[in-house]
Amino acid sequence: MRPLDFLGRIKVKLGLVILLAVVVAFVVNEVGINSGYSRNVRVAVAAVLALVIMQLLARGMTKPLREMAAAAQTIAKGRYGLRVTATSRDEVGELARAFNAMAADLGEVDRQRRALVADVSHELRTPITALRAVLENVVDGVSAPDQATLETALAQTERLGRLVTQLLDLSRLESGARLIELENVELRPLCEQALREAVLARDGVAARCEVPGGLGVRADPDLLAQVLANLLDNAVRHSPDGGAVVLTAAPRDGGVRLRVTDEGPGIPEAERTRVFERFSRLDAGRAADDGGAGLGLAITKEIVEMHGGSIRVEDGPGCRVAVDLPRRAAPPTAAPVPIRPLPVPAPSGSGLPDPSEPEIPGPSRWEVPAPSADGRPVTFTVPVRPSPGPPEAGPAPTPSAHGKAAKPSPAPPGTTGEYVAPPVLPRPELPPTPRWAPPACAAVGLLAAVALPGSAMSLGFVLVAVAMGAAALPAVRRRVTPWSAVLGLIAYGLVAVAAFRDADWLAGPLLPAGFLLAALALSGAGRGWAGVLRGGASVVLGLLPVPWFLTAPVRPARGLPLRRRIVPVLTGVALSAVLVAVFGALFASADAVFAEAVARVFSVRDLLGAGALPLRILLFGLFAAATASAVLVGLRPVAEPEGPGTRPAVSRGLWVLPLVALDLLFGVFVAMQLTVLFGTSRWLVSATGLTYAQYARSGFFQLAVVSVFVLAIVAVASGALRLRGRERWLMAGLLGPLCALTMVVLVSALHRLDLYVGAYGFTRLRASVEAAIWWLGAVFALVLVAGAVRLVRRRAARWLPRTMVAMTGVALLAFAAWNPDLRVAETQIAVRGPDRIDHRYLGGLGAEAVPVLDRLPEPVRSCVLRTVVERNELASPDPWNGWNLARERAREVLARHPVRASSDCRTP
């Protein structure tokens, strides 16, 4: 559970956790005082809840640290595959991501080390084996030490020498020991010379140089010649007889592009990145004498990158290798390492710079720490030889007024190894914002600002819900599934209840239930219970990145970035609002005239005539943001949360004995319930001393709670434990009867409730409890089916969470269609009669009950209906956005039979 991942600072998270703990303690204390609990009880409950809140929130904050500790111990043992889950954006999340990168780098370095040892061993073994065979033949007298034999031995020795030389060159280039001596190099003579030398190695291959005169680049001529030699050697060796090798150069993007083209077989696209690795060959089975050691392109890549350039294989006929070099190359910067200058003068001898070269301020040697082969840190010095001409990288030091070089300007934060803390609200990774999204969100917000004030829970909410769905539909239309379509239709049905039922206690819970189902349909989640929870809360959680999502299409003008221009404005607006509110409240409390003027300003009705302007602004922002969040969820489906990787394996005795005990207890209880169900009332009175009505009243609520506890036990036993082989059948044999017995218990609870309703009639609470019992029965039926499927097919029933959610939505719709307020009025009148009904309770029903209450005789009818009309405001017509079918029908009934103005309304 990581609900604070959107925050970018750990100290803000800690402060928020402490604040929530204090708020929980305060609320518990206030509720305890109002409920009459003692101080000790309030303190104990507040402490427990505060600790629970802190544990839930802090666990997600510290989990990456625990994972890093475990991963560090694993890496210390030489295993680099473990990674840390890094979802937060604070300092701990940055540390976790850096740890993962470090682990990946260590794993790659270890892989390369092993591969290098294997490749070097293989490459060295081949010439050594051949040389050894030649010498053994000479020693044994098999071959005479003639010219051919000695030339063979010399060829193997030269090959071994070339391999060692290439390895040393590559090592020097990678370690930085090979210095770059930059000069202004004219490319045409260098390219022509390299091309002439390359074609000497093979006859039958034509060569062509297409380099314009006067084209130059600032580079190390020796290293650049080596680059050309390696590329041309490969091109000549792989060209067919009669083929042509073309070397071209042209200026491009402030630099120079060199291209070597041949007519050979080319390099497959999948291998174009691998050819620049060490000991890489396209044909692993090809003889090394044909293809070399596989180090030439690796050396070429290192040299090009040292000059600040890039190399790649391009598309086209044959093989086309392109090298991009900057006009003014600068030595590349390696990974950030602490470097400090050594004030040691350069030794005399050949290492002295040319006196004719200009002196460049700065150290002549650098001390660089680096790891040695055995892991211990060593330090070596790298001489720095200034190149002729001005420095190419970094700002040149400017002389001060005293003739001394001034210090260069400091580097920006983060470029010299300095840690830059993440912002408090870091920008999340978001999909591209469609251009239609901001106008659509604004339109929905405008509709909400117009339709919701003064509409209660009626047509206005339905229209806004339809508009939100229409705005989010383009984002989700390409991934609509039968599940999402069914859930979306049920969600709209639940929201539409507000336009057909007047009872607030019914329409109120159905509206958020409909929005949660719609969010689940948009998210695409629901294959597990964690996915259901995350999908239902996806739109609410999506409100956090909405500002970045809506401002993404806005292109900043030249100058400061959009964030730097908007954030100060928003901060200024917020500060102005706070200052105006504080000083305005002080002035209002100090002067009655000013207070009356402020009250008139905030009570002025806007042009639409229903609701104050601040409320409309609030509704506009709230529903526009909610619509944007729905669009964002549609564009970025919720990833299905993964369950725990491993389930604990416990001993059978830990769960078999408790489940057997529960089965026995439920069996005894069900047997007694069957006795009561089929027994006579005389037997019940003799056994318990209670009538049927008293007996029924005493237990249906407790039995419903028992079924909920059984569901929790089934969820833990079947989903949290690791079962194997016969244990699965044993668990099914224990949980199946328990669920079946629980369904019998639910039947008993429903029978008791029916007896009670038959004696006293329905109330809203009794109707809700009966609906809940029916729903629990359907849930247990689904659980039994899912258990049977899981047992037979040996896989989890992933359809169960979505099916249960859909079934719950259908159950709510069925309950609303059953019209509970109407049924309450019918049963109360039928059971109690007009003389004994509770006028006050019936007067609190919704407009749905008016057609039934209209059948009461006078004066009871007018007494009850007068209260219904007053509480539901049926005397005046509703505005267009407050239309409700039940209210309209109630007004039609009252228009045909008006309520009498004066009646004797004595409550029985």
Side-chain angles (χ1 to χ4, degrees):
M1 184 178 182
R2 301 182 179 184
L4 302 180
D5 280 352
F6 67 94
L7 294 174
R9 298 288 178 87
I10 188 68
K11 60 182 181 182
V12 177
K13 291 184 177 181
L14 293 175
L16 188 59
V17 169
I18 296 174
L19 178 62
L20 289 175
V22 172
V23 169
V24 168
F26 175 77
V27 171
V28 169
N29 184 63
E30 292 297 320
V31 173
I33 292 176
N34 295 331
S35 302
Y37 289 100
S38 63
R39 182 180 61 183
N40 294 334
V41 173
R42 298 197 307 270
V43 170
V45 174
V48 170
L49 290 181
L51 289 176
V52 170
I53 293 293
M54 294 187 68
Q55 174 67 18
L56 291 177
L57 297 179
R59 181 176 179 82
M61 295 164 55
T62 59
K63 186 176 181 180
L65 298 177
R66 298 190 297 270
E67 292 180 354
M68 275 187 279
Q73 296 174 357
T74 304
I75 290 175
K77 298 176 182 178
R79 299 191 297 270
Y80 305 99
L82 191 59
R83 295 294 182 266
V84 180
T85 304
T87 59
S88 63
R89 297 177 175 270
D90 57 359
E91 293 87 347
V92 176
E94 295 288 336
L95 178 61
R97 280 183 283 274
F99 184 90
N100 288 338
M102 180 196 70
D105 291 342
L106 289 176
E108 180 63 19
V109 168
D110 184 71
R111 186 195 67 81
Q112 292 180 358
R113 178 183 63 82
R114 296 174 185 271
L116 179 62
V117 171
D119 292 337
V120 170
S121 301
H122 175 75
E123 295 295 335
L124 291 177
R125 182 180 59 185
T126 302
I128 290 176
T129 301
L131 183 59
R132 179 180 178 181
V134 171
L135 295 178
E136 285 180 350
N137 289 339
V138 172
V139 171
D140 295 339
V142 177
S143 300
D146 52 9
Q147 182 72 18
T149 303
L150 295 179
E151 286 179 356
T152 303
L154 179 61
Q156 297 298 331
T157 305
E158 289 177 347
R159 178 185 171 190
L160 187 60
R162 286 195 304 269
L163 177 60
V164 174
T165 301
Q166 288 180 340
L167 286 173
L168 290 176
D169 289 343
L170 187 59
S171 177
R172 291 192 188 100
L173 291 173
E174 291 182 344
S175 64
R178 173 63 168 90
L179 301 180
I180 300 180
E181 299 180 0
L182 300 178
E183 298 179 6
N184 293 323
V185 180
E186 187 176 355
L187 289 177
R188 185 179 180 85
L190 186 65
C191 292
E192 290 178 346
Q193 178 65 26
L195 201 58
R196 285 193 296 268
E197 294 176 357
V199 296
L200 292 176
R202 182 181 175 188
D203 296 331
V205 177
R208 187 169 67 253
C209 181
E210 298 178 357
V211 179
L215 182 62
V217 68
R218 190 165 180 79
D220 188 313
D222 295 335
L223 294 180
L224 186 57
Q226 188 174 358
V227 169
L228 295 174
N230 290 340
L231 295 179
L232 292 172
D233 178 67
N234 283 338
V236 169
R237 281 192 292 109
H238 292 92
S239 292
D241 293 335
V245 175
V246 181
L247 174 59
T248 62
R252 184 179 180 87
D253 297 335
V256 174
R257 171 168 292 182
L258 297 169
R259 181 180 288 112
V260 177
T261 306
D262 61 57
E263 298 177 358
I267 301 176
E269 186 175 356
E271 303 289 339
R272 291 179 181 178
T273 302
R274 195 174 64 86
V275 294
F276 297 104
E277 297 178 358
R278 303 173 183 177
F279 303 104
S280 175
R281 297 192 186 96
L282 294 181
D283 186 1
R286 187 176 59 195
D289 291 334
D290 265 348
L295 294 173
L297 290 180
I299 294 174
T300 300
K301 183 174 182 290
E302 289 292 335
I303 295 175
V304 171
E305 291 181 349
M306 287 177 65
H307 285 78
S310 62
I311 183 172
R312 66 187 180 278
V313 180
E314 295 182 336
D315 295 329
C319 180
R320 300 163 60 93
V321 180
V323 177
D324 289 328
L325 294 174
R327 285 288 184 92
R328 294 173 174 263
T333 57
V337 293
I339 300 176
R340 65 176 184 272
L342 292 177
V344 180
S348 59
S350 59
L352 285 174
D354 189 358
S356 63
E357 296 177 352
E359 181 179 359
I360 299 179
S364 60
R365 290 176 177 268
W366 297 92
E367 183 178 84
V368 183
S372 63
D374 57 357
R376 294 177 297 176
V378 297
T379 303
F380 62 92
T381 59
V382 179
V384 179
R385 177 171 178 169
S387 61
E392 302 297 336
T398 56
S400 63
H402 301 284
K404 298 181 179 180
K407 295 182 178 180
S409 58
T415 59
T416 59
E418 177 186 354
Y419 172 72
V420 179
V424 177
L425 293 174
R427 181 182 180 86
E429 297 180 2
L430 299 174
T433 304
R435 293 190 175 182
W436 53 263
C441 297
V444 175
L446 183 61
L447 177 63
V450 172
L452 292 187
S455 69
M457 284 180 290
S458 52
L459 183 62
F461 279 92
V462 178
L463 294 177
V464 173
V466 171
M468 291 180 66
L473 183 61
V476 75
R477 61 180 180 179
R478 294 184 179 179
R479 55 181 187 85
V480 174
T481 63
W483 278 113
S484 59
V486 169
L487 291 178
L489 291 176
I490 295 174
Y492 272 113
L494 292 176
V495 175
V497 170
F500 298 96
R501 293 287 179 260
D502 180 52
D504 292 341
W505 70 275
L506 177 64
L510 294 187
L511 276 177
F515 279 105
L516 291 177
L517 275 180
L520 181 60
L522 283 173
S523 67
R527 293 180 178 86
W529 292 111
V532 170
L533 295 177
R534 189 169 181 177
S538 59
V539 175
V540 177
L541 297 178
L543 292 173
L544 300 174
V546 160
W548 292 279
F549 180 69
L550 291 179
T551 56
V554 181
R555 296 182 178 179
R558 295 181 179 179
L560 291 176
L562 181 64
R563 178 177 59 84
R564 294 191 177 183
R565 291 189 288 112
I566 290 182
V567 171
V569 175
L570 296 179
T571 305
V573 171
L575 183 60
S576 301
V578 172
L579 292 177
V580 170
V582 171
F583 286 97
L586 292 175
F587 289 151
S589 61
D591 186 81
V593 177
F594 184 79
E596 182 65 22
V598 171
R600 289 182 178 180
V601 168
F602 282 96
S603 63
V604 169
R605 302 278 179 168
D606 52 46
L607 296 178
L608 296 174
L613 185 60
L615 176 60
R616 294 187 182 275
I617 295 175
L618 176 62
L619 291 174
F620 173 84
L622 179 61
F623 280 88
T627 306
S629 178
V631 174
L632 178 58
V633 171
L635 294 173
R636 184 183 60 179
V638 173
E640 196 74 27
E642 297 181 359
T646 58
R647 297 178 180 178
V650 298
S651 175
R652 292 183 184 180
L654 187 62
W655 51 270
V656 170
L657 293 179
L659 291 181
V660 169
L662 277 180
D663 285 341
L664 293 177
L665 177 62
F666 273 63
V668 172
F669 182 81
V670 167
M672 299 183 68
Q673 293 300 300
L674 293 176
T675 304
V676 173
L677 290 176
F678 294 102
T680 61
S681 58
R682 182 179 302 176
W683 180 88
L684 180 63
V685 171
S686 63
T688 62
L690 301 175
T691 63
Y692 252 115
Q694 293 173 336
Y695 177 75
R697 185 179 183 181
S698 63
F700 59 84
F701 179 76
Q702 290 85 343
L703 296 181
V705 173
V706 165
S707 63
V708 175
F709 286 166
V710 172
L711 278 180
I713 293 173
V714 171
V716 172
S718 61
L721 300 180
R722 184 175 61 186
L723 304 175
R724 297 178 179 176
R726 297 180 179 179
E727 290 182 347
R728 297 171 59 250
W729 289 91
L730 180 59
M731 178 67 76
L734 293 175
L735 291 182
L738 183 62
C739 292
L741 292 173
T742 305
M743 294 184 70
V744 178
V745 171
L746 288 175
V747 171
S748 174
L750 190 61
H751 178 70
R752 294 184 182 209
L753 183 59
D754 288 340
L755 292 176
Y756 192 67
V757 169
Y760 298 99
F762 270 121
T763 62
R764 287 175 172 175
L765 178 60
R766 296 166 197 163
S768 302
V769 171
E770 181 169 343
I773 293 175
W774 279 104
W775 174 79
L776 286 172
V779 168
F780 275 100
L782 285 177
V783 169
L784 287 173
V785 173
V789 171
R790 182 177 182 181
L791 191 63
V792 173
R793 296 187 178 182
R794 295 186 179 182
R795 61 182 181 181
R798 293 187 175 272
W799 51 267
L800 179 61
R802 290 179 178 177
T803 304
M804 197 169 293
V805 170
M807 185 268 296
T808 303
V810 172
L812 291 174
L813 283 176
F815 185 61
W818 184 63
N819 204 346
D821 272 17
L822 180 67
R823 306 303 173 190
V824 168
E826 288 178 346
T827 57
Q828 288 291 325
I829 294 174
V831 172
R832 293 176 177 267
D835 298 332
R836 295 189 299 115
I837 60 173
D838 189 344
H839 294 184
R840 183 176 301 176
Y841 183 79
L842 293 181
L845 298 178
E848 298 91 342
V850 170
V852 175
L853 298 177
D854 184 61
R855 305 171 191 168
L856 291 171
E858 294 289 353
V860 177
R861 170 188 174 276
S862 296
C863 293
V864 176
L865 287 180
R866 186 182 300 116
T867 307
V868 173
V869 170
E870 292 176 357
R871 292 187 177 181
N872 295 280
E873 299 179 358
L874 298 177
S876 58
D878 294 323
W880 68 270
N881 55 345
W883 183 89
N884 182 276
L885 179 62
R887 298 169 64 87
E888 291 298 320
R889 290 181 176 177
R891 289 192 180 95
E892 293 176 0
V893 172
L894 294 175
R896 291 194 302 266
H897 303 89
V899 177
R900 295 181 181 179
S902 59
S903 299
D904 185 9
C905 297
R906 291 175 297 177
T907 303

